[in-house]
Amino acid sequence: MSAVRTAEPYNFNPATPAALGGGTRQVIEPATGETLWSVNLATPADVAAAAQTAEQAQARWAQVSPREKAEILRRAGNLFSQRHNELALHVARETGGILPKGQHEIREAAVLCHLAASMPLQSQGQVLPSTPGRMSLARRMPRGVVGVISPFNFPVILTLRAVAPALATGNAVIVKPDTRTPVSGGLMIARVLEEAGLPPGLLQVLPGDADVGEALVTDPRVPMIAFTGSPAVGRRIGELAGRHLKKVTLELGGSNSLLILDDADLDVAASNAAWGAYFHQGQICMAANRILVHESMAAEFTKRLVLKARHLPVGNGASGQVALGPLIDARQRDRVHALVQASVAAGAQLEAGGSFDGLFYQPTVLSGVRPGQPVFDEETFGPVANIVTYRSDEEAVALANQHQGSLASAVISRSVGRALAVGRQLKSGMVHINDQTVNDDCVNPFGGPGIAGNGSSVCGPADWEEYTQWQWLTVQDTAPTYPF
């Protein structure tokens, strides 16, 4: 393994090539309102140029040996580890997350690179049965150029989980990060891979608005789109991709439920609920949007959760002294607050929080939440714990499954058998027994049904299916003669 050289700290100003034609935009730190850096924005014309460059680079990349591909990705993983503290602080400041969240993203970035580094040396096909004298192979081929459109909440992980395996399987990649997190969501990753030795043109980062994303989805030289974001945008991308007959993988949102059965330890349950609802201010696609509690223990559980909510410190996450940072911007804050107010008006009870100072939204607890209230029917994507009561396990399952899509569900009970019986009935892409909903090991298939995605999964065993396509190859010593 090559040694990783020591380098000066990365400078992300200017963060993008001056050749991009969309002007510049300031990236604002949510916690302070200060400008972190300015980035150049792309235009649809830049997408076309990038796709042409990527197509040419991919053809050269296909000729690079598997061991060389693997070594570049290993070096990238080592660089993420070596630069852990520097990059984690960048992530915390740009996303508004607490410092441990930024540290988690960089640790996982190293893991994703090392996992991808194993892929070029894995079997990439099968020998199929055939007639004597004829070899029949099914082999996995790169798709070509993969377009990655990534979100603001966990931008390093949710971008790199597509970039790394796509490169490992022989593709080129064009990334359009969220303009609120263009460094964490793309430019940082590109710099690390460049330093690791990735050839030019294989990974290009184009910060831009919706027109840039649409140009990426419709460009004929980009046969696959990997999108993580909101269901509304996912529907639009799915429509465009379908019209252009493209492979598309969507990881969206939906309603996630944490079911607390009536034999659960209340203190343990409250701890799980607080983490599942409040980590990174609830801006997580797996966040526990609904907390289902048996009516016999709801009052005591609510007291415990309210106590946690009132004592979780909120402030500048990069300081390392708080549990919750700010929401990403005012638009997101106003959306969360509107959902809380509308739900209270519809009958929910505000037990804690429900207020904000700037972008800092207080950890909130709503009880008496029922179907028909906005926080039950929609993904809140904010630090709001919504308590729903039930009378029986059957009712709990029915309430948990009352959704248009769900990435994750979880069940807490002293009886593993009972929890499993409940968990097997939950219509979610991921189910956790005796844990909360926010879980990802990087090696597991990650996805969900309905508006949680389009039935596709990413990571682990799913990556070969996503970023490659089958080709049937037959070989004979001589061509046969036919009766025509």
Side-chain angles (χ1 to χ4, degrees):
M1 182 181 295
S2 300
V4 176
R5 62 184 176 86
T6 302
E8 294 298 318
Y10 288 137
N11 177 16
F12 294 111
N13 260 331
T16 52
L20 296 180
T24 62
R25 182 170 298 170
Q26 293 182 333
V27 178
I28 305 300
E29 182 177 8
T32 65
E34 297 177 358
T35 298
L36 289 173
W37 31 64
S38 296
V39 295
N40 294 302
L41 299 182
T43 66
D46 292 321
V47 173
Q52 182 176 3
T53 300
E55 191 175 49
Q56 295 166 355
Q58 190 275 327
R60 296 189 295 270
W61 183 237
Q63 303 305 311
V64 173
S65 74
R67 289 193 177 197
E68 188 174 346
K69 289 187 178 82
E71 179 63 18
I72 290 170
L73 288 161
R74 277 195 294 271
R75 286 198 296 265
N78 292 342
L79 280 164
F80 275 114
S81 296
Q82 176 186 326
R83 294 181 173 274
H84 173 270
N85 292 341
E86 170 197 350
L87 299 182
L89 182 59
H90 281 315
V91 174
R93 295 188 67 191
E94 191 176 49
T95 66
I98 59 174
L99 189 57
K101 181 262 189 187
Q103 294 167 340
H104 170 72
E105 287 217 57
I106 300 305
R107 284 195 302 271
E108 293 298 274
V111 171
L112 288 164
C113 287
H114 288 302
L115 287 171
S118 72
M119 296 182 72
L121 302 179
Q122 294 174 8
S123 172
Q124 300 179 27
Q126 301 177 31
V127 178
L128 305 176
S130 190
T131 58
R134 177 176 183 256
M135 180 179 290
S136 178
L137 306 172
R139 62 177 185 162
R140 290 192 176 274
M141 303 291 290
R143 294 187 181 274
V145 181
V146 176
V148 177
I149 302 175
S150 59
F152 70 83
N153 56 335
F154 275 74
V156 182
I157 294 173
L158 299 182
T159 302
L160 194 57
R161 73 177 182 184
V163 169
L167 291 172
T169 50
N171 301 282
V173 182
I174 299 173
V175 175
K176 192 205 87 66
D178 192 297
T179 54
R180 293 167 290 187
T181 53
V183 168
S184 303
L187 297 163
M188 175 188 295
I189 294 167
R191 286 291 301 275
V192 169
L193 281 162
E194 178 186 21
E195 190 173 342
L198 189 72
L202 267 178
L203 173 60
Q204 299 177 66
V205 180
L206 303 179
D209 293 317
D211 60 339
V212 174
E214 187 155 325
L216 188 60
V217 176
T218 58
D219 192 289
R221 288 161 295 198
V222 182
M224 176 183 173
I225 298 294
F227 171 75
T228 304
S230 71
V233 178
R235 284 191 178 98
R236 174 64 177 163
I237 289 174
E239 290 170 2
L240 286 172
R243 192 180 308 158
H244 290 81
L245 301 178
K246 293 193 178 194
K247 164 75 174 179
V248 60
T249 178
L250 304 174
E251 195 265 277
L252 308 176
S255 295
N256 307 308
S257 295
L258 170 58
L259 285 70
I260 299 168
L261 304 190
D262 59 9
D263 62 348
D265 181 298
L266 284 176
D267 292 323
V268 171
S271 174
N272 277 262
W275 181 264
Y278 299 142
F279 180 52
H280 194 44
Q281 299 76 260
Q283 297 173 126
I284 303 178
C285 55
M286 300 170 284
N289 192 57
R290 304 166 176 173
I291 301 169
L292 279 67
V293 185
H294 193 274
E295 63 178 11
S296 65
M297 59 199 297
E300 286 301 316
F301 172 84
T302 301
K303 288 179 183 177
R304 286 167 168 77
L305 189 57
V306 165
L307 187 64
K308 290 184 178 293
R310 290 177 176 166
H311 287 84
L312 286 171
V314 179
N316 187 340
S319 70
Q321 305 299 314
V322 300
L324 282 77
L327 294 174
I328 190 66
D329 60 17
R331 182 176 64 179
Q332 179 66 14
R333 176 204 63 203
D334 293 345
R335 179 186 176 275
V336 170
H337 194 54
L339 288 171
V340 170
Q341 288 185 310
S343 297
V344 170
Q349 288 83 52
L350 181 63
E351 304 284 355
S355 61
F356 58 87
D357 180 7
L359 299 182
F360 299 99
Y361 205 91
Q362 292 298 315
T364 298
V365 178
L366 294 177
S367 65
V369 173
R370 305 301 299 169
Q373 296 172 0
V375 293
F376 183 96
D377 296 337
E378 301 179 39
E379 183 182 27
T380 310
F381 225 64
V384 183
N386 304 302
I387 299 175
V388 183
T389 60
Y390 66 88
R391 294 185 177 87
S392 66
D393 290 359
E394 293 75 17
E395 184 184 9
V397 169
L399 286 166
N401 286 339
Q402 192 170 329
H403 56 66
Q404 295 180 331
S406 172
L407 271 174
S409 295
V411 186
I412 294 179
S413 170
R414 284 189 170 93
S415 168
V416 173
R418 181 183 173 195
L420 273 171
V422 170
R424 290 191 181 103
Q425 302 175 65
L426 299 177
K427 299 176 181 178
S428 296
M430 299 171 281
V431 177
H432 306 289
I433 303 302
N434 281 328
D435 205 341
Q436 45 75 51
T437 56
V438 181
N439 276 285
D440 185 17
D441 289 341
C442 294
V443 296
N444 53 283
F446 189 106
I451 63 169
N454 58 340
S456 60
S457 293
V458 296
C459 294
D463 281 341
W464 278 108
E465 201 62 43
E466 291 300 317
Y467 302 109
T468 64
Q469 55 192 343
W470 286 109
Q471 182 186 69
W472 184 35
L473 173 68
T474 65
V475 182
Q476 300 182 79
D477 288 340
T478 58
T481 59
Y482 287 92
F484 283 6

